[in-house]
């Protein structure tokens, strides 16, 4: 039985309106939980110089403040999604919020770099449980296609705009309070979300499963950690450095073994049909691609504004506010269009808007102004991300049996994390290589270094624009599903008919909420 069905049954007769209101309060709580995860990807970035000075940390040490979070988060996402499915999603959500609050408080009180890194790793661990749980709860709480579209519009806006919000909030807190508040701020927000969860969420879990796939959990965690670590090393040491090559090789090998194991075991950690579904797979691909562009853009534009345009860290953070606003506007519009247009069309439109924004950045020069060159690009990329995120999040659990919505949400979050890591590493490498080539080809002059840096940025953004354009075509071909009631492929949530991509011998409710055609 779906979460919303249980909620209505638990209320007195005639209280459907109260049940509807309770669902939207639940969405607010879930969005706040997701916001914590997204904020913490970037909120500490602008505080790193202050952290380095107070804790006497080297550049490599400061980078590990970021890496400790991303490695734990990315590595444990699949495990976190499966834990939510087995443990119960409300219970998992509360555990994740409480743990995240505690880890944030420890990080804010850190007396040395080791303590801070341990706290950031703790945030990543609980974030890996929090993110897929929140997504699966949204999917199971809103079975009606129109309400579901609006719910994912809110959720997608949080996912898309939260990273830029982290840059702004981190800059403000570091500038006017202390870098410690970039961590402390999570504690009251997490506890507020936990209190709300107790009041408005109902327990939601699938039937008890068989034995836990321990081997799959170990392989998935080790493989994702090695892959994300290798990509991170590439951003600093280059793609040919032994640590980079070794980590990437180990990560890919472990993930290939993981796939082979999942195809053979009776109770896999990740049923392969979840990622093999063409529309879900297209959504995962689209979100990974837009994350490559978005986080690559964060890196390149931040460097440009601070090293070329001379912006302070706070002013740089504030410069990204229009990006967040564009995400919110596009998400609100798409929430109304999601059941009217094909999701493949919306995903492709989002990728093309982001491609146009990255293409606009190729016009940058050493003397370019913010209003004429940076701002239009931020708006286009924000509109693209806001168009794509709600649709991709909705499709992430498309036609997935309700008992497996947590693991489907985990795959979606993993595509985000891997895409963001690849975007930073690959675009940074292209920019650095192009800058070096420019310097080698031009005689030294007063303006040559700035011109070389900007040239590197424009080459990187041109490659990103091309990748997004090709991706838009691929996604348009892959994603054929509809998110409205005209599609009758899947049974109504709470029914006992088997989900279309589930084995015929298993019957379970699906969170693909569609009305049956008459």
């Amino acid at each position: 039985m779906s979460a919303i069905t249980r909620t209505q049954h638990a209320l007195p007769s005639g209280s459907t309106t109260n049940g509807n209101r309770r669902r939207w309060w639940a969405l607010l709580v879930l969005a706040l939980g997701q916001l914590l995860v997204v904020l913490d990807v970037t909120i500490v970035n602008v505080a790193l110089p202050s952290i380095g000075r107070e804790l006497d940390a080297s550049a490599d040490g400061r980078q590990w403040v970021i890496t400790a979070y991303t490695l734990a988060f990315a590595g444990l996402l699949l495990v976190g999604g499966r834990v939510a499915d087995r443990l119960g999603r409300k219970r998992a959500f509360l555990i994740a919020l409480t743990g995240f609050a505690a880890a944030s408080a420890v990080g804010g009180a850190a007396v040395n770099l080791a303590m801070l890194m341990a706290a950031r790793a703790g945030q990543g661990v609980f974030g890996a449980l929090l993110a897929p749980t929140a997504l699966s709860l949204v999917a199971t709480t809103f079975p009606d296609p129109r309400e579901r579209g609006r719910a994912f519009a809110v959720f997608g806006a949080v996912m898309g705009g939260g990273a830029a919000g982290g840059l702004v909030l981190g800059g403000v807190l570091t500038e006017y309070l202390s870098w410690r508040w970039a961590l402390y701020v999570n504690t009251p927000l997490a506890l507020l979300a936990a209190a709300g969860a107790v009041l408005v969420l109902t327990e939601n879990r699938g039937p008890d499963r068989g034995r836990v796939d321990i081997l799959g959990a170990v392989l998935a965690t080790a493989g994702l950690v090695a892959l994300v670590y290798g990509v991170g090393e590439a951003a600093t040491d280059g793609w040919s450095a032994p640590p980079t090559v070794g980590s990437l090789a180990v990560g890919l090998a472990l993930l290939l073994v993981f796939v082979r194991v999942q195809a053979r075991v009776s109770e896999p950690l990740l049923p392969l049909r979840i990622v093999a579904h063409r529309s879900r797979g297209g959504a995962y691909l689209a979100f990974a691609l837009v994350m490559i562009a978005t986080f690559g853009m964060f890196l390149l534009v931040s460097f440009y504004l601070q090293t070329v345009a001379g912006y302070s860290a706070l002013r740089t953070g504030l410069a990204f506010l229009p990006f967040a606003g564009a995400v919110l506007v596009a998400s609100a519009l798409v929430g109304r269009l999601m059941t009217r247009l094909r999701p493949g069309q919306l995903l492709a439109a989002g990728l093309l808007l982001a491609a146009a924004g990255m293409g606009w950045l190729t016009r940058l020069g050493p003397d370019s102004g913010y209003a004429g060159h940076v701002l239009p690009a931020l708006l286009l990329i924000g509109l693209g991300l806001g168009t794509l995120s709600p649709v991709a999040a909705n499709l992430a659990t498309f036609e997935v049996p309700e008992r497996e919505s947590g693991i489907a949400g985990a795959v979606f979050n993993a595509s985000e994390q891997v895409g963001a890591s690849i975007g930073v590493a690959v675009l940074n490498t292209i920019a650095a290589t192009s800058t070096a080539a420019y310097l080698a080809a031009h005689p030294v002059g007063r303006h040559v270094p700035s011109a070389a840096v900007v040239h590197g940025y424009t080459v990187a953004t041109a490659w990103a624009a091309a990748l997004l354009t090709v991706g838009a075509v691929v996604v348009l071909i892959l994603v054929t599903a509809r998110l409205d009631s005209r599609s009758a492929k899947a049974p109504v949530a709470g029914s006992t008919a088997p989900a279309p991509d589930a084995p015929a011998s298993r019957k379970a409710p699906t969170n693909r909420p569609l009305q049956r055609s008459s």
Side-chain angles (χ1 to χ4, degrees), residues 28-43 69 93 97 100 130-131 134 155 157-166 169 186 189:
L28 180 62
V29 169
L30 296 171
L32 179 56
Q34 179 65 28
L35 180 62
L36 290 170
V37 176
V38 180
L39 279 177
D40 267 65
V41 175
T42 56
I43 193 171
Y69 178 82
F93 191 67
L97 286 170
F100 201 90
L130 180 58
F155 202 75
V158 170
M159 295 185 71
L169 185 58
N186 295 310
L189 292 177

PDB file of all heavy atoms in Angstrom, residues 28-43 69 93 97 100 130-131 134 155 157-166 169 186 189:
ATOM      1  N   LEU A  28       7.389  19.597   1.941  1.00  0.00           N
ATOM      2  CA  LEU A  28       8.250  20.644   2.485  1.00  0.00           C
ATOM      3  C   LEU A  28       9.363  20.046   3.344  1.00  0.00           C
ATOM      4  O   LEU A  28      10.530  20.445   3.255  1.00  0.00           O
ATOM      5  CB  LEU A  28       7.408  21.620   3.306  1.00  0.00           C
ATOM      6  CG  LEU A  28       8.159  22.789   3.957  1.00  0.00           C
ATOM      7  CD1 LEU A  28       8.797  23.675   2.902  1.00  0.00           C
ATOM      8  CD2 LEU A  28       7.203  23.607   4.831  1.00  0.00           C
ATOM      9  N   VAL A  29       9.009  19.071   4.170  1.00  0.00           N
ATOM     10  CA  VAL A  29       9.994  18.416   5.030  1.00  0.00           C
ATOM     11  C   VAL A  29      11.025  17.674   4.190  1.00  0.00           C
ATOM     12  O   VAL A  29      12.242  17.755   4.436  1.00  0.00           O
ATOM     13  CB  VAL A  29       9.284  17.449   5.997  1.00  0.00           C
ATOM     14  CG1 VAL A  29      10.292  16.561   6.714  1.00  0.00           C
ATOM     15  CG2 VAL A  29       8.458  18.231   7.004  1.00  0.00           C
ATOM     16  N   LEU A  30      10.572  16.945   3.175  1.00  0.00           N
ATOM     17  CA  LEU A  30      11.475  16.179   2.326  1.00  0.00           C
ATOM     18  C   LEU A  30      12.392  17.100   1.517  1.00  0.00           C
ATOM     19  O   LEU A  30      13.578  16.801   1.339  1.00  0.00           O
ATOM     20  CB  LEU A  30      10.676  15.280   1.386  1.00  0.00           C
ATOM     21  CG  LEU A  30       9.834  14.198   2.068  1.00  0.00           C
ATOM     22  CD1 LEU A  30       8.923  13.513   1.060  1.00  0.00           C
ATOM     23  CD2 LEU A  30      10.735  13.181   2.749  1.00  0.00           C
ATOM     24  N   ALA A  31      11.843  18.209   1.046  1.00  0.00           N
ATOM     25  CA  ALA A  31      12.665  19.167   0.300  1.00  0.00           C
ATOM     26  C   ALA A  31      13.745  19.772   1.191  1.00  0.00           C
ATOM     27  O   ALA A  31      14.881  19.989   0.749  1.00  0.00           O
ATOM     28  CB  ALA A  31      11.776  20.266  -0.291  1.00  0.00           C
ATOM     29  N   LEU A  32      13.405  20.037   2.451  1.00  0.00           N
ATOM     30  CA  LEU A  32      14.399  20.570   3.380  1.00  0.00           C
ATOM     31  C   LEU A  32      15.514  19.551   3.618  1.00  0.00           C
ATOM     32  O   LEU A  32      16.698  19.903   3.661  1.00  0.00           O
ATOM     33  CB  LEU A  32      13.727  20.944   4.704  1.00  0.00           C
ATOM     34  CG  LEU A  32      14.641  21.507   5.798  1.00  0.00           C
ATOM     35  CD1 LEU A  32      15.414  22.727   5.302  1.00  0.00           C
ATOM     36  CD2 LEU A  32      13.826  21.855   7.039  1.00  0.00           C
ATOM     37  N   GLY A  33      15.141  18.284   3.742  1.00  0.00           N
ATOM     38  CA  GLY A  33      16.157  17.247   3.898  1.00  0.00           C
ATOM     39  C   GLY A  33      17.068  17.173   2.690  1.00  0.00           C
ATOM     40  O   GLY A  33      18.297  17.069   2.821  1.00  0.00           O
ATOM     41  N   GLN A  34      16.495  17.225   1.483  1.00  0.00           N
ATOM     42  CA  GLN A  34      17.309  17.192   0.269  1.00  0.00           C
ATOM     43  C   GLN A  34      18.184  18.430   0.161  1.00  0.00           C
ATOM     44  O   GLN A  34      19.331  18.357  -0.306  1.00  0.00           O
ATOM     45  CB  GLN A  34      16.397  17.085  -0.952  1.00  0.00           C
ATOM     46  CG  GLN A  34      17.128  17.074  -2.289  1.00  0.00           C
ATOM     47  CD  GLN A  34      17.994  15.855  -2.480  1.00  0.00           C
ATOM     48  OE1 GLN A  34      17.712  14.803  -1.920  1.00  0.00           O
ATOM     49  NE2 GLN A  34      19.037  15.984  -3.275  1.00  0.00           N
ATOM     50  N   LEU A  35      17.674  19.578   0.588  1.00  0.00           N
ATOM     51  CA  LEU A  35      18.445  20.812   0.527  1.00  0.00           C
ATOM     52  C   LEU A  35      19.735  20.703   1.328  1.00  0.00           C
ATOM     53  O   LEU A  35      20.783  21.212   0.920  1.00  0.00           O
ATOM     54  CB  LEU A  35      17.594  21.978   1.039  1.00  0.00           C
ATOM     55  CG  LEU A  35      18.261  23.358   1.043  1.00  0.00           C
ATOM     56  CD1 LEU A  35      18.632  23.782  -0.371  1.00  0.00           C
ATOM     57  CD2 LEU A  35      17.355  24.398   1.699  1.00  0.00           C
ATOM     58  N   LEU A  36      19.673  20.043   2.483  1.00  0.00           N
ATOM     59  CA  LEU A  36      20.870  19.880   3.306  1.00  0.00           C
ATOM     60  C   LEU A  36      21.968  19.167   2.533  1.00  0.00           C
ATOM     61  O   LEU A  36      23.138  19.561   2.571  1.00  0.00           O
ATOM     62  CB  LEU A  36      20.529  19.085   4.567  1.00  0.00           C
ATOM     63  CG  LEU A  36      19.656  19.787   5.604  1.00  0.00           C
ATOM     64  CD1 LEU A  36      19.216  18.784   6.669  1.00  0.00           C
ATOM     65  CD2 LEU A  36      20.398  20.941   6.246  1.00  0.00           C
ATOM     66  N   VAL A  37      21.596  18.106   1.822  1.00  0.00           N
ATOM     67  CA  VAL A  37      22.574  17.330   1.068  1.00  0.00           C
ATOM     68  C   VAL A  37      23.192  18.169  -0.046  1.00  0.00           C
ATOM     69  O   VAL A  37      24.411  18.179  -0.241  1.00  0.00           O
ATOM     70  CB  VAL A  37      21.913  16.071   0.483  1.00  0.00           C
ATOM     71  CG1 VAL A  37      22.898  15.298  -0.383  1.00  0.00           C
ATOM     72  CG2 VAL A  37      21.394  15.177   1.602  1.00  0.00           C
ATOM     73  N   VAL A  38      22.350  18.894  -0.778  1.00  0.00           N
ATOM     74  CA  VAL A  38      22.839  19.664  -1.921  1.00  0.00           C
ATOM     75  C   VAL A  38      23.677  20.852  -1.459  1.00  0.00           C
ATOM     76  O   VAL A  38      24.722  21.158  -2.040  1.00  0.00           O
ATOM     77  CB  VAL A  38      21.652  20.136  -2.785  1.00  0.00           C
ATOM     78  CG1 VAL A  38      22.147  20.926  -3.979  1.00  0.00           C
ATOM     79  CG2 VAL A  38      20.835  18.942  -3.255  1.00  0.00           C
ATOM     80  N   LEU A  39      23.222  21.532  -0.399  1.00  0.00           N
ATOM     81  CA  LEU A  39      23.990  22.670   0.122  1.00  0.00           C
ATOM     82  C   LEU A  39      25.413  22.267   0.482  1.00  0.00           C
ATOM     83  O   LEU A  39      26.369  22.994   0.200  1.00  0.00           O
ATOM     84  CB  LEU A  39      23.296  23.254   1.355  1.00  0.00           C
ATOM     85  CG  LEU A  39      22.119  24.206   1.169  1.00  0.00           C
ATOM     86  CD1 LEU A  39      21.562  24.593   2.530  1.00  0.00           C
ATOM     87  CD2 LEU A  39      22.544  25.453   0.408  1.00  0.00           C
ATOM     88  N   ASP A  40      25.548  21.095   1.099  1.00  0.00           N
ATOM     89  CA  ASP A  40      26.848  20.726   1.622  1.00  0.00           C
ATOM     90  C   ASP A  40      27.827  20.261   0.564  1.00  0.00           C
ATOM     91  O   ASP A  40      28.992  20.007   0.871  1.00  0.00           O
ATOM     92  CB  ASP A  40      26.694  19.669   2.719  1.00  0.00           C
ATOM     93  CG  ASP A  40      26.603  20.321   4.088  1.00  0.00           C
ATOM     94  OD1 ASP A  40      25.618  21.027   4.319  1.00  0.00           O
ATOM     95  OD2 ASP A  40      27.526  20.162   4.879  1.00  0.00           O
ATOM     96  N   VAL A  41      27.370  20.153  -0.677  1.00  0.00           N
ATOM     97  CA  VAL A  41      28.310  19.897  -1.763  1.00  0.00           C
ATOM     98  C   VAL A  41      29.170  21.128  -2.014  1.00  0.00           C
ATOM     99  O   VAL A  41      30.355  21.024  -2.358  1.00  0.00           O
ATOM    100  CB  VAL A  41      27.550  19.497  -3.044  1.00  0.00           C
ATOM    101  CG1 VAL A  41      28.507  19.346  -4.224  1.00  0.00           C
ATOM    102  CG2 VAL A  41      26.792  18.195  -2.820  1.00  0.00           C
ATOM    103  N   THR A  42      28.605  22.344  -1.806  1.00  0.00           N
ATOM    104  CA  THR A  42      29.325  23.572  -2.170  1.00  0.00           C
ATOM    105  C   THR A  42      29.494  24.576  -1.035  1.00  0.00           C
ATOM    106  O   THR A  42      30.309  25.480  -1.147  1.00  0.00           O
ATOM    107  CB  THR A  42      28.578  24.299  -3.314  1.00  0.00           C
ATOM    108  OG1 THR A  42      27.221  24.539  -2.904  1.00  0.00           O
ATOM    109  CG2 THR A  42      28.572  23.469  -4.571  1.00  0.00           C
ATOM    110  N   ILE A  43      28.749  24.426   0.079  1.00  0.00           N
ATOM    111  CA  ILE A  43      28.735  25.493   1.078  1.00  0.00           C
ATOM    112  C   ILE A  43      30.106  25.723   1.714  1.00  0.00           C
ATOM    113  O   ILE A  43      30.444  26.838   2.126  1.00  0.00           O
ATOM    114  CB  ILE A  43      27.674  25.191   2.170  1.00  0.00           C
ATOM    115  CG1 ILE A  43      27.412  26.429   3.021  1.00  0.00           C
ATOM    116  CG2 ILE A  43      28.096  24.007   3.025  1.00  0.00           C
ATOM    117  CD1 ILE A  43      26.232  26.278   3.962  1.00  0.00           C
ATOM    118  N   TYR A  69      33.743  14.365   2.099  1.00  0.00           N
ATOM    119  CA  TYR A  69      32.286  14.344   1.959  1.00  0.00           C
ATOM    120  C   TYR A  69      31.856  13.614   0.688  1.00  0.00           C
ATOM    121  O   TYR A  69      31.000  12.727   0.722  1.00  0.00           O
ATOM    122  CB  TYR A  69      31.758  15.780   1.938  1.00  0.00           C
ATOM    123  CG  TYR A  69      30.258  15.891   1.758  1.00  0.00           C
ATOM    124  CD1 TYR A  69      29.403  15.735   2.839  1.00  0.00           C
ATOM    125  CD2 TYR A  69      29.705  16.138   0.505  1.00  0.00           C
ATOM    126  CE1 TYR A  69      28.022  15.830   2.673  1.00  0.00           C
ATOM    127  CE2 TYR A  69      28.339  16.234   0.331  1.00  0.00           C
ATOM    128  CZ  TYR A  69      27.497  16.081   1.420  1.00  0.00           C
ATOM    129  OH  TYR A  69      26.135  16.166   1.246  1.00  0.00           O
ATOM    130  N   PHE A  93      14.859   8.119   7.110  1.00  0.00           N
ATOM    131  CA  PHE A  93      14.938   9.578   6.968  1.00  0.00           C
ATOM    132  C   PHE A  93      15.283  10.226   8.312  1.00  0.00           C
ATOM    133  O   PHE A  93      16.138  11.120   8.383  1.00  0.00           O
ATOM    134  CB  PHE A  93      13.592  10.084   6.450  1.00  0.00           C
ATOM    135  CG  PHE A  93      13.583  11.520   6.015  1.00  0.00           C
ATOM    136  CD1 PHE A  93      14.296  11.935   4.909  1.00  0.00           C
ATOM    137  CD2 PHE A  93      12.826  12.466   6.699  1.00  0.00           C
ATOM    138  CE1 PHE A  93      14.280  13.269   4.494  1.00  0.00           C
ATOM    139  CE2 PHE A  93      12.795  13.786   6.301  1.00  0.00           C
ATOM    140  CZ  PHE A  93      13.523  14.184   5.187  1.00  0.00           C
ATOM    141  N   LEU A  97      18.731  12.283   9.151  1.00  0.00           N
ATOM    142  CA  LEU A  97      18.714  13.677   9.595  1.00  0.00           C
ATOM    143  C   LEU A  97      19.425  13.846  10.935  1.00  0.00           C
ATOM    144  O   LEU A  97      20.199  14.797  11.125  1.00  0.00           O
ATOM    145  CB  LEU A  97      17.267  14.161   9.713  1.00  0.00           C
ATOM    146  CG  LEU A  97      16.528  14.432   8.401  1.00  0.00           C
ATOM    147  CD1 LEU A  97      15.055  14.675   8.664  1.00  0.00           C
ATOM    148  CD2 LEU A  97      17.140  15.629   7.672  1.00  0.00           C
ATOM    149  N   PHE A 100      23.141  13.448  10.372  1.00  0.00           N
ATOM    150  CA  PHE A 100      23.675  14.603   9.644  1.00  0.00           C
ATOM    151  C   PHE A 100      23.820  15.801  10.571  1.00  0.00           C
ATOM    152  O   PHE A 100      24.809  16.534  10.515  1.00  0.00           O
ATOM    153  CB  PHE A 100      22.751  14.939   8.477  1.00  0.00           C
ATOM    154  CG  PHE A 100      23.383  15.743   7.393  1.00  0.00           C
ATOM    155  CD1 PHE A 100      24.007  15.120   6.329  1.00  0.00           C
ATOM    156  CD2 PHE A 100      23.372  17.130   7.434  1.00  0.00           C
ATOM    157  CE1 PHE A 100      24.601  15.862   5.316  1.00  0.00           C
ATOM    158  CE2 PHE A 100      23.952  17.882   6.434  1.00  0.00           C
ATOM    159  CZ  PHE A 100      24.584  17.243   5.366  1.00  0.00           C
ATOM    160  N   LEU A 130      20.174   9.860   3.338  1.00  0.00           N
ATOM    161  CA  LEU A 130      19.150  10.899   3.288  1.00  0.00           C
ATOM    162  C   LEU A 130      18.639  11.153   1.870  1.00  0.00           C
ATOM    163  O   LEU A 130      17.426  11.232   1.630  1.00  0.00           O
ATOM    164  CB  LEU A 130      19.721  12.189   3.885  1.00  0.00           C
ATOM    165  CG  LEU A 130      18.829  13.422   3.940  1.00  0.00           C
ATOM    166  CD1 LEU A 130      17.562  13.143   4.726  1.00  0.00           C
ATOM    167  CD2 LEU A 130      19.606  14.593   4.570  1.00  0.00           C
ATOM    168  N   ALA A 131      19.548  11.278   0.907  1.00  0.00           N
ATOM    169  CA  ALA A 131      19.156  11.691  -0.445  1.00  0.00           C
ATOM    170  C   ALA A 131      18.232  10.685  -1.133  1.00  0.00           C
ATOM    171  O   ALA A 131      17.143  11.063  -1.610  1.00  0.00           O
ATOM    172  CB  ALA A 131      20.401  11.954  -1.282  1.00  0.00           C
ATOM    173  N   ALA A 134      14.727  10.551   0.645  1.00  0.00           N
ATOM    174  CA  ALA A 134      13.846  11.686   0.358  1.00  0.00           C
ATOM    175  C   ALA A 134      13.205  11.556  -1.013  1.00  0.00           C
ATOM    176  O   ALA A 134      11.995  11.779  -1.177  1.00  0.00           O
ATOM    177  CB  ALA A 134      14.643  12.994   0.460  1.00  0.00           C
ATOM    178  N   PHE A 155      10.868  19.652  -5.749  1.00  0.00           N
ATOM    179  CA  PHE A 155      12.048  18.854  -5.412  1.00  0.00           C
ATOM    180  C   PHE A 155      13.192  19.140  -6.394  1.00  0.00           C
ATOM    181  O   PHE A 155      14.348  19.256  -5.999  1.00  0.00           O
ATOM    182  CB  PHE A 155      11.676  17.371  -5.439  1.00  0.00           C
ATOM    183  CG  PHE A 155      12.599  16.508  -4.630  1.00  0.00           C
ATOM    184  CD1 PHE A 155      12.526  16.515  -3.248  1.00  0.00           C
ATOM    185  CD2 PHE A 155      13.528  15.689  -5.239  1.00  0.00           C
ATOM    186  CE1 PHE A 155      13.367  15.700  -2.492  1.00  0.00           C
ATOM    187  CE2 PHE A 155      14.366  14.880  -4.512  1.00  0.00           C
ATOM    188  CZ  PHE A 155      14.295  14.892  -3.127  1.00  0.00           C
ATOM    189  N   ALA A 157      13.657  21.894  -8.094  1.00  0.00           N
ATOM    190  CA  ALA A 157      14.183  23.240  -7.849  1.00  0.00           C
ATOM    191  C   ALA A 157      15.198  23.220  -6.714  1.00  0.00           C
ATOM    192  O   ALA A 157      16.237  23.893  -6.771  1.00  0.00           O
ATOM    193  CB  ALA A 157      13.035  24.192  -7.518  1.00  0.00           C
ATOM    194  N   VAL A 158      14.910  22.437  -5.685  1.00  0.00           N
ATOM    195  CA  VAL A 158      15.850  22.323  -4.564  1.00  0.00           C
ATOM    196  C   VAL A 158      17.146  21.675  -5.026  1.00  0.00           C
ATOM    197  O   VAL A 158      18.254  22.130  -4.698  1.00  0.00           O
ATOM    198  CB  VAL A 158      15.215  21.514  -3.419  1.00  0.00           C
ATOM    199  CG1 VAL A 158      16.260  21.168  -2.362  1.00  0.00           C
ATOM    200  CG2 VAL A 158      14.085  22.299  -2.788  1.00  0.00           C
ATOM    201  N   MET A 159      17.032  20.605  -5.802  1.00  0.00           N
ATOM    202  CA  MET A 159      18.222  19.910  -6.281  1.00  0.00           C
ATOM    203  C   MET A 159      19.050  20.808  -7.199  1.00  0.00           C
ATOM    204  O   MET A 159      20.278  20.812  -7.149  1.00  0.00           O
ATOM    205  CB  MET A 159      17.821  18.640  -7.029  1.00  0.00           C
ATOM    206  CG  MET A 159      17.146  17.592  -6.174  1.00  0.00           C
ATOM    207  SD  MET A 159      16.833  16.063  -7.071  1.00  0.00           S
ATOM    208  CE  MET A 159      18.495  15.440  -7.231  1.00  0.00           C
ATOM    209  N   GLY A 160      18.364  21.561  -8.064  1.00  0.00           N
ATOM    210  CA  GLY A 160      19.078  22.383  -9.027  1.00  0.00           C
ATOM    211  C   GLY A 160      19.658  23.653  -8.437  1.00  0.00           C
ATOM    212  O   GLY A 160      20.784  24.040  -8.756  1.00  0.00           O
ATOM    213  N   GLY A 161      18.877  24.313  -7.582  1.00  0.00           N
ATOM    214  CA  GLY A 161      19.327  25.600  -7.059  1.00  0.00           C
ATOM    215  C   GLY A 161      20.116  25.518  -5.774  1.00  0.00           C
ATOM    216  O   GLY A 161      20.762  26.492  -5.376  1.00  0.00           O
ATOM    217  N   GLY A 162      20.077  24.359  -5.108  1.00  0.00           N
ATOM    218  CA  GLY A 162      20.735  24.245  -3.816  1.00  0.00           C
ATOM    219  C   GLY A 162      22.235  24.417  -3.866  1.00  0.00           C
ATOM    220  O   GLY A 162      22.834  24.980  -2.950  1.00  0.00           O
ATOM    221  N   ALA A 163      22.860  23.922  -4.936  1.00  0.00           N
ATOM    222  CA  ALA A 163      24.310  24.033  -5.033  1.00  0.00           C
ATOM    223  C   ALA A 163      24.746  25.495  -5.136  1.00  0.00           C
ATOM    224  O   ALA A 163      25.703  25.927  -4.480  1.00  0.00           O
ATOM    225  CB  ALA A 163      24.818  23.246  -6.239  1.00  0.00           C
ATOM    226  N   ALA A 164      24.024  26.279  -5.960  1.00  0.00           N
ATOM    227  CA  ALA A 164      24.332  27.709  -6.050  1.00  0.00           C
ATOM    228  C   ALA A 164      24.018  28.397  -4.731  1.00  0.00           C
ATOM    229  O   ALA A 164      24.759  29.285  -4.286  1.00  0.00           O
ATOM    230  CB  ALA A 164      23.531  28.352  -7.184  1.00  0.00           C
ATOM    231  N   GLY A 165      22.929  27.969  -4.072  1.00  0.00           N
ATOM    232  CA  GLY A 165      22.610  28.528  -2.762  1.00  0.00           C
ATOM    233  C   GLY A 165      23.702  28.258  -1.750  1.00  0.00           C
ATOM    234  O   GLY A 165      23.971  29.078  -0.872  1.00  0.00           O
ATOM    235  N   GLY A 166      24.347  27.100  -1.872  1.00  0.00           N
ATOM    236  CA  GLY A 166      25.453  26.783  -0.976  1.00  0.00           C
ATOM    237  C   GLY A 166      26.614  27.747  -1.137  1.00  0.00           C
ATOM    238  O   GLY A 166      27.236  28.162  -0.148  1.00  0.00           O
ATOM    239  N   LEU A 169      25.358  31.096   0.497  1.00  0.00           N
ATOM    240  CA  LEU A 169      25.254  30.997   1.949  1.00  0.00           C
ATOM    241  C   LEU A 169      26.628  30.812   2.591  1.00  0.00           C
ATOM    242  O   LEU A 169      26.919  31.414   3.636  1.00  0.00           O
ATOM    243  CB  LEU A 169      24.340  29.825   2.321  1.00  0.00           C
ATOM    244  CG  LEU A 169      24.025  29.641   3.807  1.00  0.00           C
ATOM    245  CD1 LEU A 169      23.366  30.888   4.378  1.00  0.00           C
ATOM    246  CD2 LEU A 169      23.124  28.421   4.011  1.00  0.00           C
ATOM    247  N   ASN A 186      23.700  23.548   9.445  1.00  0.00           N
ATOM    248  CA  ASN A 186      22.970  22.326   9.109  1.00  0.00           C
ATOM    249  C   ASN A 186      22.231  21.736  10.302  1.00  0.00           C
ATOM    250  O   ASN A 186      21.198  21.075  10.132  1.00  0.00           O
ATOM    251  CB  ASN A 186      23.944  21.266   8.577  1.00  0.00           C
ATOM    252  CG  ASN A 186      24.570  21.669   7.272  1.00  0.00           C
ATOM    253  OD1 ASN A 186      23.887  22.062   6.340  1.00  0.00           O
ATOM    254  ND2 ASN A 186      25.888  21.586   7.200  1.00  0.00           N
ATOM    255  N   LEU A 189      18.658  23.105  10.979  1.00  0.00           N
ATOM    256  CA  LEU A 189      17.822  22.779   9.827  1.00  0.00           C
ATOM    257  C   LEU A 189      17.478  21.287   9.802  1.00  0.00           C
ATOM    258  O   LEU A 189      16.332  20.902   9.535  1.00  0.00           O
ATOM    259  CB  LEU A 189      18.537  23.173   8.531  1.00  0.00           C
ATOM    260  CG  LEU A 189      18.723  24.674   8.284  1.00  0.00           C
ATOM    261  CD1 LEU A 189      19.518  24.904   7.005  1.00  0.00           C
ATOM    262  CD2 LEU A 189      17.374  25.371   8.208  1.00  0.00           C
TER     263      LEU A 189
END
